[in-house]
DNA sequence: TTCATACTTGAACGTTGTGCAAGTGGCCTC
DNA sequence: GAGGCCACTTGCACAACGTTCAAGTATGAA
C-alpha cells in the first residue's frame, strides 16, 4: 500500500460528509474508517481524537462562510448577510449546532468569522464594547434559531436508526406532542395554523427577528453614542 | 426488600441532581442506579429508556419556572421576567440546552411555558401569528445565549473527567484559543478587556440584547398593526 | 541494499445503553 | 393462614463505541 493515502484534510472532509448524512450521533470512527477505505484506528494518527476531529470539522464549516466586503456594503446589509449566511450554514450542517454545545469549537475559521463580525459593528460607528455586545447578541440569536430545527433533524435521524419504520414512530411522537399541546388554549388554537405557516415561509421568523434585533441595537446603541448614560 | 422503593419522581429528581453535578455526559444508568441505591436496570422499568428519562428531566425543569401574572403585570415586564427566568434556569441546568439539541424535549412543562409566552404577546395586542413570531424570537435568543456558557461548562467538566489535572488542561486550551485570536486584529484588541468585562457583569449582554429585541419587536409589530402591509 | 521514519493495521480493553430470564416480596383471595 | 398473582428488582449478557498498543509495511534517504 502506498504511503500518504490518508491526509488530515481528506479525513475532515469525509467526516463532514458523514456528519451531514448521518448526524452527530451517526459519526463513529469505524464508519469513518470504512468511508475512507482504511482501518478505523488509522484516523487517530492524523487527528488525535474524535473530539479534536469534530472541532476541526466544525471550524472548517466556519471557514467556508463568505465575508461581506465592508468597503462596498453598508453595515446593516453586511450584518444581515453574515447572519443569514451563518444561519443557512448551521441549517445545512445541523450537527454543528449540537456539537457547539458539547465540544470546544474555536479555531481559525471561527476566529476569522468573529473578527469580521466585530468589524461590521465598528464600521457602524459603535465603540469596541458596543460592537462586542452587538456581535454577541446577533450570534447567539442565530445559534438559538438553528438549534430548534437541528433538534428536530437529529430526532428524526434517531428514529430512523432505531427501528425500521421511522415514519410511524415520527407520526406517533407528533401525535403525542399534539395531545399535550391540545391541553393549553393558545397552543391548541395554533396547532392547525402553525404547520401551514411554517411550510409557507420557514425563514420568515428568522429574518423578521434579525431585522427587529438590528433595529433595536441601532436605536439603543446610537442613543448611547449621541446622548448620555 | 419493601416494594415501591423506587418511583418515577424520585428517579427524575436524582437524574437532575446527577446532571447538575456531572453534566450531560456524566449521566449514565449505572451511576444513576448507584445514586438511587438500586441496580442500574431497575430504572428501566420506570422510565423506559435513557432518552425518555432526559426528556422527563428536561420537562421537569420547565415545570419549575414561575409564570408571571398577566393581570397585574404589563406585558413588557412579564416578557422580560419570563425570558430572564428561563435564562437563569438554563444556566443553572446547563445540560438542558445541550439536551435540547439531541433529544425531543417537549412535555407538559414546556407546553405550559410556551402557552404563557404566547399569552404575554397577545396581551400586548399582537395578533396570534405575530405573538407566535415574537415568542419564537425571544425563546431562540434565550436558548442561544445559554448555549455558549453551557458549552464552556461542559468542556470544563470533560477536562476534569479525562486527566487528573483539569486546571492545567484548561489553561492550555485557553492559551491555544488566545494564540489563534491574536492573529486577528479586532479579536486581539479585545483579548484583555473581554475577560474583565465579562467578570464585571456577565448578564449585561443578555439583558441588553433582550431589551433591544423587545424594542425592535414592539416597533415592528405595532407598525404592522396600525399601518398597512 | 539497508535502515529509519511515517504511516497503517488488527486485536484488545473498558465503558456505555439495554434486553432478558430469574428472582423477590407484598397484597388479595379463599 | 395458605397460596398465588403481579409489581418490581436483579445480575448477566451482548453489541456498539472510543481508544491504546504492539506489530507490521511501504517509502525515501544513505
Amino acid at each position: 500500500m502506498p504511503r500518504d493515502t490518508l491526509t488530515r484534510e481528506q479525513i475532515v472532509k469525509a467526516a463532514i460528509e458523514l456528519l451531514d448524512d448521518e448526524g452527530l450521533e451517526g459519526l463513529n470512527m469505524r464508519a469513518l474508517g470504512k468511508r475512507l477505505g482504511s482501518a478505523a484506528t488509522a484516523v487517530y494518527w492524523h487527528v488525535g481524537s474524535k473530539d479534536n476531529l469534530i472541532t476541526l470539522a466544525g471550524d472548517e464549516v466556519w471557514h467556508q462562510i463568505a465575508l461581506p466586503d465592508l468597503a462596498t456594503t453598508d453595515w446593516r446589509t453586511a450584518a444581515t448577510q453574515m447572519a443569514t449566511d451563518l444561519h443557512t450554514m448551521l441549517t445545512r450542517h445541523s450537527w454543528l449546532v449540537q456539537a457547539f454545545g458539547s465540544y470546544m469549537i474555536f479555531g481559525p475559521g471561527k476566529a476569522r468569522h468573529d473578527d469580521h463580525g466585530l468589524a461590521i459593528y465598528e464600521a457602524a460607528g459603535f465603540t469596541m464594547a458596543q460592537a462586542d455586545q452587538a456581535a454577541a447578541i446577533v450570534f447567539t440569536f442565530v445559534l438559538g434559531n438553528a438549534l430548534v430545527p437541528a433538534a428536530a433533524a437529529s430526532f428524526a435521524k434517531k428514529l430512523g436508526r432505531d427501528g425500521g419504520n421511522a415514519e410511524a414512530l415520527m407520526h406517533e411522537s407528533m401525535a403525542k406532542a399534539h395531545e399535550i399541546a391540545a391541553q393549553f388554549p393558545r397552543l391548541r388554537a395554533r396547532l392547525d395554523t402553525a404547520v401551514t405557516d411554517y411550510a409557507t415561509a420557514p425563514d420568515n421568523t428568522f429574518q423578521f427577528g434579525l431585522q427587529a434585533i438590528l433595529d433595536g441595537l441601532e436605536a439603543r446603541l446610537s442613543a448611547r453614542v449621541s446622548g448620555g448614560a
Side-chain angles (χ1 to χ4, degrees), chain A residues 20-213:
Chain A
D20 288 344
D21 288 351
E22 310 286 342
L24 187 57
E25 306 182 20
L27 173 69
N28 66 73
M29 305 309 268
R30 287 172 237 260
L32 182 60
K34 188 170 288 182
R35 182 177 280 248
L36 286 164
S38 68
T41 50
V43 174
Y44 280 87
W45 195 90
H46 295 273
V47 301
S49 69
K50 185 187 178 183
D51 281 20
N52 194 38
L53 173 59
I54 289 181
T55 300
L56 290 172
D59 201 60
E60 172 59 26
V61 171
W62 249 288
H63 245 307
Q64 292 170 6
I65 300 178
L67 304 183
D69 181 5
L70 296 181
T72 62
T73 323
D74 70 299
W75 76 269
R76 181 84 188 232
T77 310
T80 303
Q81 184 186 321
M82 245 181 92
T84 306
D85 281 1
L86 177 58
H87 183 247
T88 55
M89 220 51 157
L90 291 180
T91 305
R92 201 183 335 266
H93 308 286
S94 61
W95 50 271
L96 184 48
V97 206
Q98 303 175 253
F100 201 86
S102 303
Y103 303 87
M104 195 65 174
I105 295 190
F106 181 78
K110 179 158 191 305
R112 183 192 78 125
H113 187 265
D114 288 355
D115 193 72
H116 206 73
L118 288 177
I120 287 177
Y121 299 101
E122 287 189 358
F126 299 152
T127 69
M128 198 173 81
Q130 287 173 337
D132 226 39
Q133 282 197 323
I137 288 165
V138 171
F139 177 72
T140 54
F141 174 69
V142 177
L143 213 57
N145 242 278
L147 186 56
V148 178
S154 170
F155 183 66
K157 283 216 177 77
K158 188 182 295 185
L159 290 185
R161 257 192 302 276
D162 288 354
N165 200 340
E167 298 251 351
L169 288 171
M170 190 51 134
H171 187 77
E172 184 187 339
S173 306
M174 293 298 286
K176 195 184 295 178
H178 205 95
E179 187 185 333
I180 293 172
Q183 296 177 351
F184 296 87
R186 272 157 289 262
L187 292 182
R188 185 181 343 116
R190 68 178 286 284
L191 272 179
D192 303 321
T193 59
V195 179
T196 55
D197 282 0
Y198 188 78
T200 311
D203 284 342
N204 247 2
T205 301
F206 172 70
Q207 281 300 333
F208 182 77
L210 178 60
Q211 295 309 321
I213 288 176

